[in-house]
Amino acid sequence: MSGQMVRPTQPTTRPASTPPGESPLSIRPDGVPEAPPRTPWRNRIGPIALVTGLAVLTAVVHGRGMANGPAFIDDEGTYVAQAWAVQHNGTLAHYTYWYDHPPLGWMLLALWNWVTGPFLDPATAVDGGRQFTLVCAVVSAILIYFLGRRLGFARWAASAAVIAYALSPLAVDYSRYVYLDNIGLPFLLGAFVLALSPRRHLWAYMGSGLLLACAVLCKETLLLFAPAVLAAAWVNSKGRTRPFLVAGFVSTLILILLLYPVYALLKGELLPGVGHVSLYDAVKFQLGGRLSTGSILNSNSRSAEIVTTWLQLDPWLLGAGVLLSPIAVALRRTRLVGLAVLIPVLAALRPGYLPDPFVIALLPFCALVVAGLADTGVKKLVMSRAFVRRRPSRQADGAWRVQRRPVLWGAAGIAVVAIAALVASGVLISGWSDKTSDINAGKTSATTQGVVNYVSAGIPTGARVLIDDTLFVDLVDRGFDQHTGAIWFYKLDFTNNLDPSVQKRLPNGIRDIDYVIYTPVMRSALDTQPGGLQPVREAVKSFRRCVSVGTGTEHIQILQNPALPPCAQ
């Protein structure tokens, strides 16, 4: 030997790579991965500020002009009236509840009204419901960001998904409606977030099942997303604990969903019978009894008309999300959100009934599909051979390792791509802004409030007024009887009536009606059902006009029974 000491070298092997977006996990002796280390609070300030900014952006875009448009629709009035019945009557509906939808959505709306009643003073009852859906939209935006991060997206990609959702005219328009889908959407996104919990605790999987059940109990069509949530729970669980965790998810989901049929069973309304409604009949009607809207592929069908309306508002986010979903399914990082888009879309392609708010739950996942694929593409581009070069580098421990360093022209290429993306985004956002301005251009709330003020001052509270459901709560709150004073116009059509008690109160049909408030909702119903609602058509045709409020397509006429003395103009 030469007498020189040989310095031992450190192992030159690199640590196992960690999937993008995930923290490195240490392995316990039993083979179960430990939870990632907690991030210090000082390192969370930036992400918290980012999420707060995204929430504020969503609140401003979706809340600005919310009272002006879109125009009120009858479904909004129905859910607001049902929430009023829960709060004031202790019943699930202002008429007979026939299990048309699970009641959790309007029960939560009733809770909102009860909590905020002393502090908020909306112009109309539907405006109050829209305040609640605004909160739901903001919560959904926050959960979109966290879901993107749980899927391994970079912060910019998760933020881009939220921005795309927040600025999309289609999302702005539909998220304002008091639809049960809007109330159930935060629960659905929360179920995904908990199913992808990096700590993989049992409570997270049971919480995911609970939230998914709540989403379905708000709107039954959200059950179409259950396979994607189940896939998330399965993929995220590891090793010997997988059966245990997935069983916790499934059992919690089923147990909570069973509360609905158990309620019907205790009421004696689970199965059909004489003199009562039943859950069985309602499910049968929803699955096969509704009038089909036809196939999306038939350009003359109602389904194709609905899809055309969606695409007119925003062809980019919805179109890109649907078209890219097969590619997203093929990639590991975006597979789950790709399934969340692809499965409902395939279900919608079959001939049958396509509900107009079906698109609401698709939009967040379309945004995540587009953002996730963009994130994957950027990462592949940055780490490709064209943009980096390998260069050996000596480390502090004496070992030689290969470093990947971006070359100058590669960085310039990335900058060009980024600038092009920003320009394209600017053009897109400009078009979105124009459509959002059109949505905000109406005066829906002001027109409705003017009608309510006229009715309060010029029509006695003992009169019988035929209305659409958007006015029910406002008139009842001003003294009109909830059973015989404010009458939903659909209930006047006894050939399609599910509530015989209304017919008993109106034995003479339209001759028992004193006034008709002829709204855009009523006009639309008469136009879309040319063979139905004959008593309503007869009343509109034979009653005299008292006053007209509003202009254009939003105008509302108050009509009076000709047997009464002429009303004040």
Side-chain angles (χ1 to χ4, degrees):
M1 295 183 64
S2 62
Q4 296 180 349
M5 296 183 61
V6 179
R7 184 178 179 181
T9 60
Q10 298 290 335
T12 59
T13 57
R14 299 180 63 184
S17 60
T18 303
E22 297 183 8
S23 302
L25 301 177
S26 58
I27 307 299
R28 301 202 309 244
D30 58 3
V32 178
E34 292 182 346
R38 295 185 180 275
T39 305
W41 274 107
R42 63 179 179 274
N43 295 336
R44 298 182 183 182
I45 296 177
I48 291 174
L50 175 61
V51 173
T52 302
L54 294 172
V56 171
L57 172 67
T58 305
V60 171
V61 175
H62 287 238
R64 178 177 171 270
M66 183 173 59
N68 298 330
F72 293 164
I73 60 174
D74 203 47
D75 280 354
E76 292 186 280
T78 298
Y79 302 138
V80 169
Q82 288 172 325
W84 179 91
V86 170
Q87 183 180 358
H88 295 276
N89 296 343
T91 59
L92 291 180
H94 52 312
Y95 292 105
T96 300
Y97 174 60
W98 61 282
Y99 299 93
D100 51 338
H101 298 295
L104 182 59
W106 61 82
M107 291 173 69
L108 293 172
L109 178 55
L111 178 62
W112 165 267
N113 291 335
W114 177 72
V115 171
T116 62
F119 312 104
L120 300 179
D121 185 24
T124 67
V126 175
D127 284 324
R130 289 191 173 188
Q131 291 172 354
F132 180 54
T133 57
L134 174 61
V135 174
C136 293
V138 173
V139 174
S140 296
I142 295 172
L143 291 172
I144 290 171
Y145 176 84
F146 284 116
L147 179 54
R149 295 294 290 157
R150 289 281 169 92
L151 291 168
F153 296 0
R155 282 197 178 94
W156 72 263
S159 302
V162 178
I163 293 172
Y165 172 76
L167 299 184
S168 167
L170 183 57
V172 172
D173 187 277
Y174 276 79
S175 69
R176 291 179 175 179
Y177 288 119
V178 189
Y179 274 138
L180 300 178
D181 306 70
N182 284 320
I183 301 174
L185 182 58
F187 292 104
L188 176 62
L189 293 170
F192 267 101
V193 171
L194 286 183
L196 294 172
S197 170
R199 297 184 180 276
R200 303 184 179 93
H201 291 312
L202 176 62
W203 70 264
Y205 287 80
M206 295 181 68
S208 177
L210 171 64
L211 292 181
L212 180 58
C214 290
V216 176
L217 291 177
C218 287
K219 187 61 178 296
E220 64 279 0
T221 54
L222 296 182
L223 188 61
L224 290 172
F225 295 86
V229 182
L230 177 60
W234 178 268
V235 169
N236 190 50
S237 56
K238 303 291 182 182
R240 292 173 297 177
T241 60
R242 172 177 283 168
F244 180 64
L245 296 175
V246 174
F249 167 83
V250 174
S251 59
T252 303
L253 171 64
I254 294 175
L255 286 174
I256 300 301
L257 289 179
L258 283 176
L259 293 176
Y260 190 43
V262 167
Y263 168 80
L265 178 64
L266 295 176
K267 293 260 300 181
E269 296 174 344
L270 180 62
L271 300 175
V274 179
H276 67 80
V277 297
S278 71
L279 176 59
Y280 175 84
D281 285 336
V283 172
K284 183 179 177 181
F285 170 78
Q286 294 286 8
L287 294 179
R290 304 195 70 155
L291 183 64
S292 173
T293 55
S295 171
I296 294 175
L297 304 179
N298 180 3
S299 59
N300 297 322
S301 67
R302 171 61 181 158
S303 293
E305 182 182 342
I306 291 172
V307 174
T308 300
T309 302
W310 296 343
L311 294 176
Q312 285 175 345
L313 282 170
D314 186 4
W316 302 109
L317 180 59
L318 179 62
V322 172
L323 293 177
L324 294 175
S325 59
I327 301 176
V329 171
L331 301 177
R332 179 185 61 83
R333 182 178 300 169
T334 56
R335 181 168 298 142
L336 297 174
V337 288
L339 288 173
V341 173
L342 192 59
I343 293 175
V345 167
L346 291 176
L349 288 176
R350 66 175 183 83
Y353 178 74
L354 178 66
D356 192 30
F358 185 82
V359 72
I360 290 173
L362 280 177
L363 289 175
F365 298 103
C366 287
L368 286 165
V369 163
V370 175
L373 291 178
D375 182 42
T376 301
V378 168
K379 288 178 179 177
K380 293 290 185 182
L381 180 66
V382 170
M383 299 307 294
S384 66
R385 291 178 179 271
F387 290 101
V388 298
R389 63 180 178 181
R390 297 174 180 270
R391 179 178 181 180
S393 174
R394 185 151 189 143
Q395 306 298 308
D397 57 8
W400 287 88
R401 294 179 183 171
V402 175
Q403 290 186 339
R404 299 164 64 89
R405 295 183 177 178
V407 297
L408 181 60
W409 68 267
I414 295 175
V416 170
V417 172
I419 293 173
L422 288 174
V423 172
S425 299
V427 174
L428 180 62
I429 291 173
S430 176
W432 281 353
S433 177
D434 293 339
K435 292 182 180 180
T436 302
S437 298
D438 293 339
I439 296 172
N440 296 335
K443 296 182 179 180
T444 298
S445 180
T447 302
T448 303
Q449 189 176 12
V451 169
V452 172
N453 292 338
Y454 176 87
V455 172
S456 300
I459 297 179
T461 55
R464 292 179 172 178
V465 185
L466 195 67
I467 59 171
D468 69 58
D469 253 358
T470 62
L471 293 165
F472 177 85
V473 174
D474 296 303
L475 295 192
V476 172
D477 283 345
R478 284 160 176 79
F480 286 83
D481 186 88
Q482 60 177 301
H483 300 296
T484 60
I487 303 168
W488 188 24
F489 73 97
Y490 274 108
K491 299 297 182 178
L492 191 63
D493 188 359
F494 301 141
T495 62
N496 189 29
N497 195 3
L498 296 173
D499 196 344
S501 62
V502 177
Q503 186 174 4
K504 294 178 181 178
R505 300 187 189 105
L506 303 171
N508 300 314
I510 64 168
R511 292 191 299 273
D512 291 329
I513 300 296
D514 298 318
Y515 295 88
V516 174
I517 301 181
Y518 192 37
T519 63
V521 171
M522 202 176 294
R523 290 196 294 271
S524 175
L526 295 179
D527 290 340
T528 56
Q529 302 179 44
L533 301 171
Q534 292 303 325
V536 181
R537 295 178 191 277
E538 184 179 349
V540 170
K541 184 177 180 180
S542 60
F543 281 26
R544 75 165 68 98
R545 186 176 70 87
C546 281
V547 68
S548 181
V549 180
T551 59
T553 58
E554 295 181 350
H555 83 278
I556 299 175
Q557 291 181 328
I558 299 177
L559 310 177
Q560 184 191 42
N561 192 319
L564 297 176
C567 58
Q569 296 294 323

